Amino acid sequence: CLLTSLICGAQTVPSQLTIGDVKLHINESARKQIQQDVDRLTRSETYYNILVDRMNLYFPLIEKQHRKGGIPDEIKFLAIQESALISDVVSSSKAVGFWQFKDFTGREVGMRIDKKVDERKNIVSSTYGAAKYFKNHQRTLKNWAHTVTAHMTGAGGIKKYTSPKDYGSKKMNITSKSHWYLKRFIAHKLAFQGE
Protein backbone atom coordinates (compact mmCIF):
# COMPACT_ATOMS: atom_id res chain seq x y z
CA CYS A 1 0.00 0.00 0.00
CA LEU A 2 1.39 3.37 -0.97
CA LEU A 3 1.16 5.97 1.74
CA THR A 4 0.49 9.19 -0.06
CA SER A 5 -0.55 12.67 0.81
CA LEU A 6 -3.55 12.22 -1.47
CA ILE A 7 -4.67 8.98 0.15
CA CYS A 8 -3.56 9.29 3.76
CA GLY A 9 -3.51 13.05 4.39
CA ALA A 10 -0.66 15.53 4.07
CA GLN A 11 2.78 13.89 4.24
CA THR A 12 5.05 15.94 6.46
CA VAL A 13 8.80 15.61 6.46
CA PRO A 14 9.99 13.83 9.61
CA SER A 15 13.07 14.79 11.60
CA GLN A 16 14.54 11.31 11.07
CA LEU A 17 14.54 8.96 8.11
CA THR A 18 16.53 5.93 6.97
CA ILE A 19 18.08 5.24 3.57
CA GLY A 20 19.41 1.71 3.49
CA ASP A 21 21.27 1.38 6.77
CA VAL A 22 21.98 5.12 7.14
CA LYS A 23 19.97 7.09 9.68
CA LEU A 24 19.36 10.68 8.61
CA HIS A 25 18.63 13.49 11.03
CA ILE A 26 16.89 16.26 9.07
CA ASN A 27 17.09 19.71 10.62
CA GLU A 28 14.28 22.27 10.42
CA SER A 29 15.62 24.28 7.48
CA ALA A 30 16.16 21.13 5.40
CA ARG A 31 12.69 19.86 6.36
CA LYS A 32 11.19 23.07 4.98
CA GLN A 33 13.08 22.68 1.70
CA ILE A 34 12.12 19.03 1.36
CA GLN A 35 8.50 19.81 2.28
CA GLN A 36 8.29 22.25 -0.64
CA ASP A 37 9.31 19.43 -2.99
CA VAL A 38 6.86 16.97 -1.39
CA ASP A 39 4.07 19.52 -1.77
CA ARG A 40 5.01 20.16 -5.40
CA LEU A 41 5.04 16.42 -6.17
CA THR A 42 1.62 15.86 -4.63
CA ARG A 43 -0.11 19.07 -5.74
CA SER A 44 -1.70 17.68 -8.90
CA GLU A 45 -3.83 14.60 -8.30
CA THR A 46 -3.82 13.81 -12.03
CA TYR A 47 -0.02 13.92 -12.37
CA TYR A 48 0.43 12.06 -9.11
CA ASN A 49 -1.90 9.25 -10.22
CA ILE A 50 -0.07 8.98 -13.55
CA LEU A 51 3.17 8.42 -11.64
CA VAL A 52 1.51 5.89 -9.32
CA ASP A 53 0.26 3.98 -12.38
CA ARG A 54 3.81 3.90 -13.76
CA MET A 55 5.13 2.79 -10.38
CA ASN A 56 2.61 -0.08 -10.34
CA LEU A 57 3.83 -1.11 -13.80
CA TYR A 58 7.60 -0.76 -13.36
CA PHE A 59 8.38 -1.09 -9.65
CA PRO A 60 7.95 -4.90 -9.53
CA LEU A 61 10.67 -5.16 -12.20
CA ILE A 62 12.92 -2.64 -10.43
CA GLU A 63 12.39 -4.33 -7.06
CA LYS A 64 13.37 -7.72 -8.51
CA GLN A 65 16.63 -6.34 -9.94
CA HIS A 66 17.39 -4.45 -6.72
CA ARG A 67 16.86 -7.57 -4.60
CA LYS A 68 19.27 -9.48 -6.85
CA GLY A 69 21.82 -6.67 -6.57
CA GLY A 70 21.45 -6.05 -2.83
CA ILE A 71 20.16 -2.50 -3.37
CA PRO A 72 17.89 -1.04 -0.66
CA ASP A 73 14.26 -1.01 -1.74
CA GLU A 74 13.77 2.75 -1.40
CA ILE A 75 16.40 3.48 -4.05
CA LYS A 76 13.66 2.66 -6.58
CA PHE A 77 12.20 6.13 -5.97
CA LEU A 78 15.26 7.60 -7.65
CA ALA A 79 13.86 6.38 -11.00
CA ILE A 80 10.85 8.66 -10.50
CA GLN A 81 13.16 11.56 -9.72
CA GLU A 82 15.36 10.83 -12.72
CA SER A 83 12.83 10.10 -15.45
CA ALA A 84 9.27 10.07 -14.06
CA LEU A 85 9.51 6.44 -15.24
CA ILE A 86 9.47 7.48 -18.90
CA SER A 87 11.63 5.13 -20.96
CA ASP A 88 12.82 7.47 -23.69
CA VAL A 89 13.23 10.75 -21.82
CA VAL A 90 16.42 12.65 -22.72
CA SER A 91 17.94 15.29 -20.45
CA SER A 92 19.66 18.50 -21.53
CA SER A 93 22.98 16.75 -20.82
CA LYS A 94 22.03 13.86 -23.16
CA ALA A 95 21.33 11.38 -20.37
CA VAL A 96 18.70 8.86 -21.48
CA GLY A 97 16.14 6.47 -20.09
CA PHE A 98 14.71 5.35 -16.79
CA TRP A 99 17.89 5.98 -14.78
CA GLN A 100 19.25 8.82 -16.93
CA PHE A 101 22.60 7.40 -17.97
CA LYS A 102 24.91 9.10 -20.41
CA ASP A 103 26.10 6.75 -23.14
CA PHE A 104 29.62 6.21 -21.75
CA THR A 105 28.34 5.52 -18.23
CA GLY A 106 25.74 3.11 -19.55
CA ARG A 107 28.41 1.21 -21.43
CA GLU A 108 30.62 1.14 -18.30
CA VAL A 109 27.90 -0.81 -16.47
CA GLY A 110 27.35 -3.22 -19.33
CA MET A 111 24.48 -1.73 -21.30
CA ARG A 112 24.33 -2.05 -25.06
CA ILE A 113 24.06 1.41 -26.59
CA ASP A 114 24.44 1.70 -30.35
CA LYS A 115 22.45 2.74 -33.43
CA LYS A 116 20.13 -0.28 -33.14
CA VAL A 117 19.72 -0.81 -29.40
CA ASP A 118 19.72 1.51 -26.40
CA GLU A 119 19.30 -0.51 -23.23
CA ARG A 120 18.95 2.66 -21.17
CA LYS A 121 15.33 2.64 -22.41
CA ASN A 122 14.69 -0.93 -21.23
CA ILE A 123 13.51 -1.14 -17.62
CA VAL A 124 15.22 -4.46 -16.84
CA SER A 125 18.54 -3.76 -18.58
CA SER A 126 18.80 -0.21 -17.29
CA THR A 127 17.90 -1.22 -13.73
CA TYR A 128 20.49 -3.99 -13.85
CA GLY A 129 23.03 -1.36 -14.97
CA ALA A 130 21.85 1.08 -12.30
CA ALA A 131 22.25 -1.61 -9.63
CA LYS A 132 25.85 -2.17 -10.76
CA TYR A 133 26.44 1.60 -10.70
CA PHE A 134 25.03 1.87 -7.16
CA LYS A 135 27.12 -1.08 -5.96
CA ASN A 136 30.27 0.44 -7.47
CA HIS A 137 29.72 3.66 -5.53
CA GLN A 138 28.64 1.84 -2.39
CA ARG A 139 31.89 -0.18 -2.34
CA THR A 140 33.80 3.08 -1.90
CA LEU A 141 31.33 5.29 -0.04
CA LYS A 142 29.74 2.65 2.23
CA ASN A 143 26.84 5.06 2.75
CA TRP A 144 23.59 4.83 0.78
CA ALA A 145 22.82 8.54 1.08
CA HIS A 146 26.17 9.39 -0.50
CA THR A 147 25.59 6.68 -3.11
CA VAL A 148 22.30 8.35 -4.07
CA THR A 149 24.10 11.67 -4.53
CA ALA A 150 26.88 9.96 -6.51
CA HIS A 151 24.27 8.79 -9.02
CA MET A 152 24.05 12.42 -10.10
CA THR A 153 27.57 13.69 -9.40
CA GLY A 154 29.56 10.61 -10.40
CA ALA A 155 32.44 9.08 -8.48
CA GLY A 156 34.66 12.15 -8.86
CA GLY A 157 31.93 14.69 -8.18
CA ILE A 158 30.83 13.21 -4.86
CA LYS A 159 34.22 14.08 -3.38
CA LYS A 160 33.19 17.75 -3.39
CA TYR A 161 30.28 16.97 -1.07
CA THR A 162 31.80 14.51 1.37
CA SER A 163 35.18 13.52 2.69
CA PRO A 164 36.71 10.06 3.08
CA LYS A 165 36.26 10.32 6.86
CA ASP A 166 32.47 10.29 6.22
CA TYR A 167 32.65 7.09 4.15
CA GLY A 168 30.93 4.31 6.02
CA SER A 169 29.04 6.68 8.30
CA LYS A 170 25.70 5.24 9.43
CA LYS A 171 24.43 8.61 10.68
CA MET A 172 24.14 11.87 8.75
CA ASN A 173 22.79 15.32 9.39
CA ILE A 174 20.74 16.76 6.54
CA THR A 175 20.78 20.56 6.55
CA SER A 176 19.92 23.35 4.13
CA LYS A 177 23.51 23.01 2.85
CA SER A 178 23.19 19.29 2.05
CA HIS A 179 23.24 18.42 -1.64
CA TRP A 180 19.96 19.37 -3.33
CA TYR A 181 19.83 16.02 -5.18
CA LEU A 182 19.74 14.03 -1.93
CA LYS A 183 17.05 16.31 -0.48
CA ARG A 184 14.99 15.89 -3.65
CA PHE A 185 15.36 12.12 -3.38
CA ILE A 186 14.05 12.27 0.20
CA ALA A 187 11.07 14.27 -1.09
CA HIS A 188 10.33 11.65 -3.75
CA LYS A 189 10.58 8.84 -1.21
CA LEU A 190 8.19 10.62 1.14
CA ALA A 191 5.74 11.70 -1.54
CA PHE A 192 5.41 8.24 -3.03
CA GLN A 193 6.07 5.92 -0.11
CA GLY A 194 5.59 7.86 3.08
CA GLU A 195 7.83 7.41 6.10
Side-chain angles (χ1 to χ4, degrees), residues 6-168:
L6 297 175
I7 297 169
C8 303
Q11 178 63 44
T12 56
V13 178
S15 60
Q16 293 189 11
L17 188 81
T18 302
I19 297 176
D21 58 355
V22 180
K23 189 172 188 175
L24 308 179
H25 174 73
I26 308 169
N27 79 7
E28 183 62 29
S29 60
R31 281 200 307 271
K32 287 179 182 175
Q33 292 173 332
I34 295 166
Q35 188 67 55
Q36 287 177 341
D37 270 341
V38 170
D39 294 345
R40 179 185 51 81
L41 290 165
T42 58
R43 187 173 298 132
S44 167
E45 185 174 354
T46 301
Y47 178 70
Y48 190 90
N49 287 332
I50 288 168
L51 289 177
V52 169
D53 286 345
R54 290 178 193 157
M55 288 165 51
N56 289 333
L57 178 64
Y58 291 120
F59 272 10
L61 300 168
I62 292 172
E63 290 163 356
K64 183 177 179 181
Q65 289 297 321
H66 281 185
R67 275 192 303 275
K68 284 181 184 177
I71 308 301
D73 184 59
E74 62 267 25
I75 302 298
K76 66 189 175 191
F77 295 102
L78 196 57
I80 300 171
Q81 178 176 336
E82 284 292 323
S83 66
L85 293 170
I86 298 171
S87 64
D88 59 354
V89 69
V90 180
S91 75
S92 58
S93 65
K94 306 291 186 231
V96 173
F98 290 100
W99 295 96
Q100 288 292 283
F101 280 109
K102 292 187 178 181
D103 56 359
F104 56 87
T105 308
R107 287 186 188 103
E108 281 177 12
V109 294
M111 282 186 255
R112 180 178 169 190
I113 302 166
D114 56 38
K115 291 181 181 181
K116 292 183 180 182
V117 175
D118 189 341
E119 289 187 325
R120 296 173 293 178
K121 299 177 185 179
N122 177 289
I123 190 64
V124 175
S125 299
S126 65
T127 301
Y128 177 79
K132 280 180 74 173
Y133 194 63
F134 295 134
K135 289 298 270 192
N136 290 344
H137 289 304
Q138 185 64 8
R139 268 192 282 284
T140 302
L141 301 170
K142 298 175 178 50
N143 176 300
W144 285 106
H146 292 321
T147 293
V148 164
T149 305
H151 186 74
M152 185 264 203
T153 64
I158 190 65
K159 293 174 184 171
K160 297 177 190 172
Y161 304 101
T162 186
S163 74
K165 69 180 174 64
D166 294 329
Y167 295 0

Side-chain angles (χ1 to χ4, degrees), residues 1-4 73-74 77 188-195:
C1 168
L2 291 171
L3 298 176
T4 68
D73 184 59
E74 62 267 25
F77 295 102
H188 279 78
K189 177 185 179 333
L190 291 171
F192 294 100
Q193 179 188 44
E195 291 180 53

